[in-house]
Amino acid sequence: MRSTFHGIETAKRSLFTQQAALQTTAHNIANANTAGYSRQVVNMVASRPIEAVGMSHSAVPGQLGTGVEFTSITRVRERFLDDQFRNESKGLGSWTVQADTLEKLEAIMNEPSSTGIRTVIDNFWKSWSDLSKDPENVTGRKIVRENAMALADAFNYTSKQLRDLSTDLTNNVDVKATQMNSITTGIANLNAEIFRIEGLGDDANDLRDQRDLLVDQLSQIVNITVQDTDQGYNINMGTINLVNGQTAVPTSAAALTDAYNSGILNSGEVHGMLLSRERYVSDYQRQLDTLANTIANGEVTITIPKGSVLPEGTVLNNIKYTGASRTLTDDLTVKVNGLNGLHKLGYNLSDPIQAGGDFFTAKSGFTAITAESFLLNPVLAANPDKIATSLRTVVSGGSEKVVKGNNGLALLISQLKDTKFTFASGGAIVAEGTVDDYFRSTVGQLGVQSKEATRQLENQKALVDQVDSRRQSVSGVSIDEEMSNMIKFQHAYGAASRAMTTFDEMLDKVINSMGVVGR
């Protein structure tokens, strides 16, 4: 049966509902620039009519409505777009790190330029060419020494930069592991809070937004899958669990490295760091080591001119040269082990005669010549007269003396610039060509890899931006739309207020103005 105050109650419900809609609109506008925020809406439904169908139904025709009420305040969010965003975000994270690492490698190699390793190598060969024109010239010898030391410094410094870059990537994996633990702990705590609040019948919209923002951040660090359960989000990285409801499972750099090696970790920033360290940085470190070792000891074929006098006991082509056989009657084509092997075939300016030793050696504590250990022989660094340039000796006064003006060895060494070496790494032959060819191929490979990483990064950015744009079109706050809604709800609130005033005036007339006849 209808109530006398039915109209006032209907207006009151409208006031409360429109007020909630206005407050929600204000909340949306306030968070228009809040990261991860999802637009919220008030879900309005017509309240239950006063006379429901039943045995006690009155004879009054029709159902008299009782106004409006809101059943919930929910956020506008599409799960499918969230999954798409996170799938693309992990690829963006990996390619961002790879492109950045390759850009740093290009800066380390610094090619082409007038200050890179290639220029230093060219200057080294040129100094030998200049020395061959006047092998007794002290200035020329010192220039060879200084250029050799500059080459060693270039190799050492570049190797250190590569090692530092590798260390930075390793340290960043530690940093990301710590960041992941912080994020997963935050997600687990939010799972617990959301479970508590929604257990009371409310919608924890803002907390859900915070949780989804953390999941978005995590998706850029490693590849994850998200499962929404009654206890909250369960998050896995492949087969490795990171969050199980209200419990976070901590990880470490070692665990992430193992996951990368086993293929479980296949995208995200951590994947990009480990891949960059193991594939790019390690490869260019290996190539630089190969280049340095090959210049010193790489197998190369040279032709020793006839008339040259080999040092006593020299072994070439399995033949030991002693006595009179040391003087070559014909040109001799042999294989020697790099600049060191060739340098040992000549004589320095010492008297009595002294064969040249190793030109380059490894630093103390190293067993082999690498870019890091590459060093000019300290004996040559201390005394440039110990640099061998001659291939001739003469017997004078019963003793053998070096022909100091002979430039045979200096000329052969200067020609190494255009001579093919056999480049070997780890016991396997990887290339054959000149030193310049090998270094150019290394720089060219780096350029192609960097260009490809940049292309992939741009494509991945476009995909992420596209998905995020679609997600924002659904969940984002539009100021224009909210202002329009605000006006709509304001007018509805004003109309409900006017309706309540009208019913109040009607009741006042009934209560205070009726039934007064005869008083």
Side-chain angles (χ1 to χ4, degrees):
M1 185 174 180
R2 296 176 183 147
S3 168
T4 304
F5 298 95
H6 174 75
I8 289 182
E9 183 64 26
T10 299
K12 185 194 74 171
R13 286 196 181 98
S14 178
L15 286 173
F16 286 169
T17 301
Q18 304 307 325
Q19 186 179 43
L22 280 169
Q23 290 170 342
T24 301
T25 300
H27 185 55
N28 286 340
I29 293 173
N31 288 280
N33 296 315
T34 301
Y37 180 79
S38 302
R39 176 169 57 93
Q40 296 180 14
V41 296
V42 174
N43 298 309
M44 303 181 190
V45 296
S47 56
R48 184 174 178 177
I50 196 168
E51 291 195 66
V53 177
M55 293 297 294
S56 61
H57 188 273
S58 69
V60 178
Q63 282 188 321
L64 184 62
T66 58
V68 65
E69 60 186 5
F70 64 97
T71 56
S72 62
I73 301 174
T74 58
R75 60 182 190 145
V76 181
R77 194 90 178 191
E78 190 171 330
R79 176 71 182 275
F80 173 71
L81 293 176
D82 283 339
D83 290 341
Q84 271 196 323
F85 178 84
R86 290 159 190 164
N87 283 333
E88 300 301 342
S89 180
K90 63 185 181 182
L92 177 63
S94 179
W95 283 113
T96 298
V97 174
Q98 290 182 57
D100 179 67
T101 301
L102 288 166
E103 184 178 347
K104 290 176 180 176
L105 285 171
E106 286 186 309
I108 290 172
M109 291 299 183
N110 194 27
E111 295 291 346
S113 74
S114 59
T115 57
I117 291 180
R118 186 177 178 184
T119 299
V120 178
I121 294 175
D122 286 343
N123 290 339
F124 176 68
W125 297 130
K126 185 178 182 298
S127 65
W128 273 105
S129 179
D130 292 340
L131 182 60
S132 70
K133 298 172 185 176
D134 187 3
E136 295 183 83
N137 185 282
V138 176
T139 301
R141 288 176 172 272
K142 288 184 176 180
I143 291 175
V144 167
R145 179 187 66 181
E146 295 304 317
N147 277 299
M149 294 174 68
L151 179 59
D153 288 342
F155 276 128
N156 297 162
Y157 183 67
T158 304
S159 179
K160 179 182 180 300
Q161 287 181 304
L162 291 174
R163 190 170 64 255
D164 289 346
L165 180 55
S166 180
T167 301
D168 287 344
L169 291 168
T170 299
N171 292 339
N172 281 340
V173 174
D174 285 324
V175 172
K176 288 299 176 183
T178 301
Q179 184 180 353
M180 285 178 62
N181 289 335
S182 175
I183 291 174
T184 54
T185 299
I187 293 172
N189 291 338
L190 285 170
N191 279 343
E193 190 67 11
I194 291 169
F195 179 78
R196 183 183 68 81
I197 292 174
E198 294 188 348
L200 300 175
D202 295 325
D203 290 323
N205 296 319
D206 294 333
L207 294 181
R208 282 182 172 269
D209 285 341
Q210 293 174 28
R211 183 177 65 179
D212 281 329
L213 180 61
L214 289 177
V215 175
D216 288 347
Q217 294 172 358
L218 186 62
S219 71
Q220 191 165 355
I221 300 175
V222 294
N223 53 288
I224 59 171
T225 55
V226 182
Q227 183 181 8
D228 195 358
T229 69
D230 293 338
Q231 299 296 316
Y233 283 173
N234 285 346
I235 300 177
N236 295 309
M237 179 181 67
T239 57
I240 299 175
N241 183 245
L242 300 177
V243 178
N244 186 12
Q246 301 175 22
T247 303
V249 181
T251 188
S252 64
L256 292 173
T257 302
D258 291 340
Y260 169 79
N261 292 332
S262 63
I264 294 174
L265 175 58
N266 52 42
S267 55
E269 291 175 342
V270 177
H271 172 264
M273 292 170 188
L274 293 171
L275 184 144
S276 295
R277 186 187 69 183
E278 301 300 325
R279 178 184 297 177
Y280 300 133
V281 180
S282 294
D283 181 49
Y284 288 107
Q285 181 70 70
R286 178 188 59 77
Q287 292 190 53
L288 193 67
D289 289 343
T290 298
L291 180 63
N293 185 267
T294 299
I295 290 175
N297 297 315
E299 189 177 87
V300 60
T301 301
I302 54 103
T303 299
I304 306 172
K306 67 178 181 180
S308 299
V309 181
L310 300 176
E312 180 67 31
T314 298
V315 178
L316 295 172
N317 294 341
N318 296 322
I319 299 175
K320 186 175 183 179
Y321 292 85
T322 59
S325 67
R326 291 167 51 209
T327 302
L328 302 181
T329 56
D330 293 296
D331 290 347
L332 179 64
T333 300
V334 294
K335 291 182 178 180
V336 296
N337 293 326
L339 183 56
N340 284 349
L342 184 54
H343 192 252
K344 292 175 182 178
L345 298 181
Y347 304 92
N348 56 39
L349 299 184
S350 299
D351 189 15
I353 64 170
Q354 186 179 38
D358 285 333
F359 194 86
F360 293 112
T361 61
K363 292 179 180 179
S364 176
F366 290 86
T367 58
I369 294 178
T370 63
E372 182 181 1
S373 68
F374 195 82
L375 179 71
L376 174 64
N377 192 324
V379 175
L380 306 182
N383 184 4
D385 285 346
K386 296 295 184 179
I387 296 175
T389 55
S390 176
L391 286 174
R392 298 290 184 94
T393 63
V394 294
V395 177
S396 176
S399 62
E400 187 175 9
K401 297 181 180 296
V402 64
V403 179
K404 296 181 180 180
N406 180 262
N407 68 347
L409 183 62
L411 198 59
L412 284 177
I413 293 177
S414 69
Q415 292 171 352
L416 289 179
K417 175 182 179 181
D418 301 313
T419 305
K420 290 185 176 182
F421 285 78
T422 298
F423 293 85
S425 177
I429 296 175
V430 294
E432 186 175 71
T434 66
V435 169
D436 188 57
D437 288 340
Y438 186 84
F439 190 68
R440 279 194 291 111
S441 70
T442 299
V443 173
Q445 175 186 335
L446 176 57
V448 171
Q449 289 175 336
S450 181
K451 184 177 180 180
E452 174 63 13
T454 300
R455 184 187 69 82
Q456 292 280 15
L457 175 59
E458 290 175 352
N459 290 345
Q460 202 63 36
K461 276 183 178 178
L463 288 172
V464 171
D465 290 344
Q466 182 187 43
V467 175
D468 191 45
S469 177
R470 291 172 58 196
R471 191 166 66 159
Q472 288 301 317
S473 70
V474 173
S475 302
V477 175
S478 168
I479 296 297
D480 291 339
E481 182 181 356
E482 296 302 324
M483 293 300 289
S484 176
N485 287 338
M486 184 173 64
I487 294 172
K488 179 175 66 175
F489 298 141
Q490 180 187 14
H491 286 176
Y493 185 88
S497 301
R498 184 60 185 164
M500 178 170 282
T501 301
T502 301
F503 285 120
D504 180 60
E505 291 177 353
M506 290 171 58
L507 289 173
D508 178 67
K509 178 63 69 174
V510 170
I511 295 171
N512 296 316
S513 300
M514 294 178 67
V516 297
V517 177
R519 286 185 182 179

